[in-house]
Amino acid sequence: MTGGRARPATVLGLGMVLAALVAVVALGAPGAIVYYVTPTELAADPTDRPIRLYGVVETGSVRWEEATGELRFTVTDGQTAVAVRTSAVPTALFRDGVAVVLAGRRESATSFLADELLVKHSEVYAPLAPGQTIPPGLLESVIESAP
């Protein structure tokens, strides 16, 4: 064996490993990218492909339709409002004024059918201010909902 030259089989093997790595990244990357559309973008896009809609639940818009088992509400981005209907069960964090991400399909420029409902929460966590206390019942509700 000489120290200065690589064997052709080694170079070929490393090339194949590199090509496989590039293929995995290229094929997997588009599926890993999650893009959300706003209600304004949804209204302008006539596609019926599966998408994720991001918006804020409008105050007073949440309604439970017992006959159909559907939750209905409106989301907005401050410019455009979209009526949403879903059979997905929301988490306890779901309420008026909360940001949500909805996976589903556009039914029209102003309506959306959601298969999945996720509550978006703030990543800002701050300790209690001096003199501030934990809201009554908060700890009990967290303990009750723990698995």
Side-chain angles (χ1 to χ4, degrees):
M1 259 177 41
T2 60
R5 296 195 76 190
R7 291 186 188 171
T10 304
V11 172
L12 180 63
L14 288 174
M16 289 174 61
V17 168
L18 182 61
L21 181 62
V22 167
V24 167
V25 170
L27 294 174
I33 296 172
V34 178
Y35 179 70
Y36 308 118
V37 297
T38 65
T40 300
E41 293 169 332
L42 180 73
D45 184 7
T47 186
D48 66 347
R49 65 181 162 76
I51 56 175
R52 291 184 181 232
L53 175 65
Y54 174 78
V56 175
V57 178
E58 281 191 338
T59 302
S61 69
V62 179
R63 302 277 184 268
W64 172 252
E65 299 286 334
E66 194 167 336
T68 61
E70 288 184 331
L71 178 65
R72 294 177 180 258
F73 56 95
T74 304
V75 296
T76 184
D77 59 4
Q79 292 180 329
T80 306
V82 173
V84 176
R85 64 185 183 94
T86 183
S87 296
V89 178
T91 65
L93 296 174
F94 180 80
R95 64 185 178 283
D96 289 345
V98 71
V100 293
V101 175
L102 307 158
R105 292 186 181 274
R106 174 188 192 264
E107 292 184 307
S108 74
T110 58
S111 67
F112 190 80
L113 175 61
D115 300 319
E116 185 180 4
L117 185 158
L118 303 169
V119 174
K120 188 100 166 116
H121 62 82
S122 171
E123 287 84 19
V124 178
Y125 299 98
L128 293 175
Q132 188 178 17
T133 60
I134 296 174
L138 178 64
L139 292 177
E140 291 80 9
S141 67
V142 170
I143 291 169
E144 288 174 7
S145 66

